[in-house]
C-alpha cells in the first residue's frame, strides 16, 4: 500500500503543544514543518479549559503552517493513556457476497460486530486493533480479503477511555478549526517509533516522562498489554526546585533546563550558578550537586511508584528493558539513575531528524509514523469505529490480490500460534531464547 502524502501529528501535552508536519514519499518520512506553543488549559495531560487549549493549538498550528507552507485542516491527535482499559473483542458474520469471496465490506462488517460491547455510560471506544481473522475456523489470518469462506471472525483489542477526555479533545480541535483524522493512544504510537521489531516482539517497557504525568506502557508480542499513569512529571520537579530554592517557577524551570542533572553523583559540587531568590536583592550561589539532589529526590519518588506497579506484573523481566521518552528524559544522567532504580537496561530515545533532536518531540513524531504504517485492513477496521465508509471506497482501487504466500483459497488450518523472534542475534542464543519464551508464556497467560 502506498501511504505517500502529508501527515500532521499533534501532541497535546501538559506543558507544551507540538505540531509536526511530515511528507512521506516512497517510504521516506521527511519533516517539513514544526510548531510548538506553551500549553494553556491543560492539567495532567487532560484538557480542562477548552477555549484556552484551542487558542494554544491554533498558535502551534500557525507556526507549523508557516514553516511547511501549507494549510492544515486535519490532524492525527495523540491522547494520553489516562484510565485507558484494554479489552479483548470478537466479532463474527456470514460472508455477504454470493461468490463467498471476502471483500472490504465484509471486513468492515465483522469489525462493527466486534465493536458491539456493553460499556458504562461514561466510557467510549478509543481504538480497535485487529489481531487476527478467522475464516471458517482457519485462524492466524492477517488479511482475509480475496479468500473464500462462509463465516468470518475477527479477534482484536479494544481500547476504551473516559468520554470526557475524548470530548474535550474533539471540542478543542473543533474550536481551533481542525478536524481529527485519527485519534491514537500515545503508548501505541510511541511503540512504533522508539522500539525495534525484536523489542516489540519479546517485550519492552516505554516510560513517557512528560510535564504533567509519567506513563509506563508494556509492549509485548507487538501489542499494548498494560499501562500505568503516575500523576507526577516535570512540573513537579520544577515546583520542588522553586520551593526549596525560594525562586519563581520561571526561574526554576530555567535552572532545571540549564543546570539540572538527574543523578546527583554526576553533578559537581564546585560548579556554582546564581539563583534569584524571592525577597533578596542579590542572587545566591547554588551548586550543581545541590540542584541535582532536589531533582533526584522527585525522580526517585516517580520511579519507585512506577517500579511497584511493573513488579506486580513482572514486566521488568522482559528482555527489551526500558526506553525513556518525553521532555524529562532529556535530563543528563537519567539513564544511569533509572538503570539503578529499575535494575534493568535503560536507554533514552531521541529523534534524529534535524530540529527535533529532543525527547519531547517523540509523541508528535510517533503518531505520524504510526498512522503512515497502518495496513489497508487495519484502516478498514478503524473505519468501522468512525463510521467513515470513504476508507472502503478509496481502497476499492487498491490491489487486494493476496500475495503468493497467502492464497485466495482457504489456507491450511493453523496450529497454535507462537511468536517467532524477529532479531537474528536473539535467535542465535538458545539460553536467552528459553528465558524469553518463559516470560512470554507468563504474559500470554496473565493478559489473556
Amino acid at each position: 500500500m502506498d501511504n505517500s502524502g502529508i501527515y500532521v501529528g499533534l501532541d497535546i501535552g501538559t506543558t507544551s503543544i507540538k505540531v509536526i508536519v511530515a511528507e512521506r514519499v516512497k517510504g521516506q518520512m521527511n519533516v517539513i514543518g514544526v510548531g510548538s506553543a506553551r500549553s494553556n488549559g491543560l492539567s495532567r495531560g487532560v484538557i480542562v479549559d477548552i477555549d484556552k487549549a484551542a487558542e494554544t493549538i491554533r498558535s502551534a498550528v500557525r507556526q507549523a503552517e508557516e514553516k511547511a507552507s501549507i494549510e492544515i485542516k486535519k490532524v492525527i491527535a495523540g491522547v494520553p493513556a489516562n484510565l485507558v482499559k484494554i479489552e479483548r473483542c470478537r466479532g463474527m458474520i456470514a460472508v455477504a457476497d454470493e461468490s463467498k469471496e471476502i471483500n472490504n465490506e465484509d471486513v468492515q462488517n465483522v469489525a462493527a460486530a466486534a465493536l458491539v460491547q456493553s460499556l458504562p455510560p461514561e466510557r467510549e471506544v478509543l481504538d480497535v486493533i485487529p489481531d487476527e481473522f478467522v475464516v471458517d475456523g482457519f485462524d492466524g489470518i492477517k488479511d482475509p480479503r480475496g479468500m473464500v469462506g462462509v463465516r468470518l471472525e475477527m479477534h482484536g483489542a479494544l481500547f476504551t477511555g473516559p468520554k470526557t477526555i475524548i470530548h474535550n479533545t474533539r471540542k478543542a480541535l473543533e474550536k481551533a478549526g481542525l478536524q481529527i483524522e485519527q485519534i491514537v493512544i500515545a503508548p501505541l504510537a510511541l511503540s512504533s517509533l522508539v522500539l525495534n521489531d525484536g523489542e516489540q516482539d519479546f517485550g519492552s517497557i516505554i516510560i513517557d516522562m512528560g510535564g504533567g504525568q509519567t506513563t509506563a506502557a508494556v509492549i509485548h508480542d507487538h501489542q499494548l498489554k498494560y499501562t500505568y499513569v503516575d500523576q507526577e512529571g516535570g512540573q513537579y520537579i520544577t515546583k520542588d526546585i522553586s520551593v526549596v530554592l525560594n525562586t519563581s517557577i520561571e526561574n526554576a524551570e530555567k535552572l532545571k533546563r540549564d543546570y539540572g542533572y538527574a543523578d546527583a553523583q554526576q553533578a559537581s559540587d564546585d560548579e556554582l550558578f546564581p539563583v534569584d531568590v524571592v525577597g533578596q536583592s542579590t542572587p545566591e550561589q547554588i551548586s550543581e550537586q545541590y540542584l541535582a539532589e532536589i531533582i533526584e529526590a522527585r525522580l526517585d519518588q516517580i520511579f519507585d511508584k512506577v517500579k511497584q506497579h511493573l513488579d506486580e506484573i513482572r514486566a521488568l523481566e522482559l528482555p527489551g528493558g526500558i526506553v525513556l521518552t518525553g521532555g524529562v528524559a532529556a535530563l543528563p544522567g537519567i539513564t544511569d539513575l533509572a538503570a539503578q532504580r529499575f535494575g534493568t537496561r535503560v536507554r533514552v530515545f531521541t529523534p534524529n531528524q534535524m530540529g527535533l533532536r529532543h525527547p519531547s518531540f517523540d509523541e508528535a513524531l510517533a503518531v505520524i509514523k504510526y498512522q503512515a504504517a497502518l495496513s489497508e485492513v487495519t484502516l478498514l477496521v478503524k473505519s468501522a469505529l468512525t463510521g467513515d465508509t470513504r476508507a472502503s471506497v478509496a481502497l476499492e482501487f487498491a490491489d487486494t490480490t493476496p500475495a503468493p504466500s497467502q492464497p485466495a483459497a482457504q489456507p491450511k488450518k493453523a496450529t497454535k500460534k507462537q511468536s517467532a523472534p524477529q532479531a537474528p542475534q536473539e535467535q542465535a542464543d538458545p539460553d536467552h531464547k528459553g528465558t524469553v519464551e518463559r516470560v512470554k508464556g507468563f504474559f500470554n497467560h496473565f493478559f489473556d
Side-chain angles (χ1 to χ4, degrees):
M1 178 179 178
D2 184 9
N3 287 342
S4 298
I6 301 293
Y7 293 83
V8 182
L10 174 65
D11 174 16
I12 305 176
T14 305
T15 55
S16 67
I17 291 177
K18 298 177 180 65
V19 178
I20 294 179
V21 183
E23 183 179 21
R24 184 182 175 91
V25 180
K26 297 180 179 179
Q28 182 68 36
M29 189 72 76
N30 302 310
V31 175
I32 59 176
V34 179
S36 179
R38 188 85 180 162
S39 291
N40 211 348
L42 281 98
S43 176
R44 297 177 179 178
V46 178
I47 295 174
V48 294
D49 189 315
I50 292 174
D51 291 330
K52 289 181 178 179
E55 180 57 39
T56 310
I57 292 170
R58 274 195 296 267
S59 176
V61 168
R62 280 194 295 266
Q63 293 179 36
E65 285 179 330
E66 291 175 3
K67 294 176 181 176
S69 299
I70 65 168
E71 184 180 7
I72 296 174
K73 291 295 184 182
K74 294 184 179 181
V75 296
I76 308 160
V79 295
N82 298 54
L83 304 179
V84 166
K85 288 184 179 178
I86 308 170
E87 304 175 19
R88 309 308 302 172
C89 66
R90 177 179 176 177
M92 181 175 66
I93 64 165
V95 178
D97 194 282
E98 291 184 0
S99 67
K100 301 306 176 185
E101 185 171 304
I102 298 168
N103 56 28
N104 290 341
E105 185 179 356
D106 293 318
V107 173
Q108 287 181 308
N109 289 340
V110 76
L115 289 172
V116 178
Q117 300 281 336
S118 178
L119 296 177
E122 72 278 4
R123 298 192 72 81
E124 181 178 344
V125 177
L126 300 179
D127 204 355
V128 58
I129 305 294
D131 292 336
E132 68 169 355
F133 293 89
V134 182
V135 178
D136 292 346
F138 296 94
D139 61 1
I141 300 169
K142 295 302 180 184
D143 188 349
R145 293 174 301 165
M147 294 183 178
V148 173
V150 175
R151 186 178 72 252
L152 175 65
E153 299 175 52
M154 187 194 86
H155 302 167
L158 195 68
F159 300 89
T160 67
K163 282 186 176 179
T164 301
I165 293 177
I166 303 306
H167 173 79
N168 290 358
T169 301
R170 287 192 178 122
K171 198 70 177 176
L173 288 171
E174 182 183 315
K175 288 201 169 190
L178 300 168
Q179 296 178 357
I180 296 180
E181 181 178 348
Q182 184 74 45
I183 288 180
V184 180
I185 299 172
L188 269 177
L190 284 169
S191 68
S192 68
L193 178 70
V194 308
L195 302 178
N196 61 39
D197 197 63
E199 289 171 333
Q200 292 185 63
D201 185 24
F202 286 106
S204 303
I205 301 165
I206 301 172
I207 300 181
D208 183 7
M209 308 190 70
Q213 59 189 17
T214 299
T215 304
V218 178
I219 306 296
H220 179 253
D221 198 19
H222 293 265
Q223 299 174 17
L224 176 61
K225 296 289 191 178
Y226 173 84
T227 62
Y228 165 71
V229 179
D230 178 31
Q231 301 295 345
E232 296 177 75
Q235 282 186 332
Y236 279 76
I237 297 174
T238 302
K239 289 178 182 177
D240 290 346
I241 295 171
S242 175
V243 170
V244 174
L245 300 184
N246 197 23
T247 189
S248 67
I249 290 291
E250 291 75 15
N251 286 336
E253 181 66 28
K254 190 174 186 302
L255 292 173
K256 182 180 71 176
R257 290 198 313 264
D258 295 346
Y259 304 103
Y261 278 84
D263 189 348
Q265 294 181 350
Q266 298 185 21
S268 172
D269 196 31
D270 299 326
E271 293 291 332
L272 304 177
F273 51 85
V275 176
D276 293 328
V277 178
V278 175
Q280 294 186 18
S281 57
T282 58
E284 281 190 10
Q285 296 294 314
I286 301 296
S287 71
E288 277 186 354
Q289 190 172 63
Y290 186 49
L291 177 64
E293 288 171 354
I294 301 171
I295 296 172
E296 183 180 326
R298 175 61 66 174
L299 287 174
D300 274 341
Q301 184 169 313
I302 295 173
F303 287 159
D304 284 346
K305 289 181 182 178
V306 173
K307 184 177 186 298
Q308 178 183 348
H309 286 80
L310 293 177
D311 279 338
E312 289 176 0
I313 60 169
R314 293 167 53 188
L316 292 172
E317 297 177 19
L318 292 172
I322 293 174
V323 180
L324 300 178
T325 73
V328 179
L331 282 169
I334 196 167
T335 303
D336 294 333
L337 181 68
Q340 294 169 17
R341 300 300 183 265
F342 290 107
T344 189
R345 181 173 63 89
V346 178
R347 64 180 174 88
V348 173
F349 180 87
T350 303
N352 58 10
Q353 283 83 356
M354 187 68 69
L356 301 179
R357 290 170 182 164
H358 193 279
S360 62
F361 287 101
D362 287 351
E363 184 175 322
L365 194 60
V367 296
I368 291 174
K369 181 176 180 181
Y370 178 84
Q371 181 69 14
L374 290 178
S375 65
E376 288 181 2
V377 71
T378 302
L379 288 172
L380 283 169
V381 169
K382 288 176 177 288
S383 71
L385 175 63
T386 60
D388 185 2
T389 57
R390 289 174 298 174
S392 178
V393 175
L395 291 174
E396 289 293 344
F397 297 97
D399 181 12
T400 58
T401 303
S405 59
Q406 185 171 298
Q410 294 177 350
K412 293 181 180 180
K413 189 160 185 176
T415 56
K416 188 175 180 181
K417 301 184 295 300
Q418 294 181 352
S419 299
Q422 302 296 320
Q425 64 270 23
E426 291 171 341
Q427 286 181 318
D429 187 347
D431 294 332
H432 176 67
K433 181 178 177 182
T435 303
V436 171
E437 289 301 327
R438 287 194 296 272
V439 175
K440 291 180 72 172
F442 166 79
F443 268 82
N444 289 334
H445 173 74
F446 182 87
F447 291 108
D448 294 342

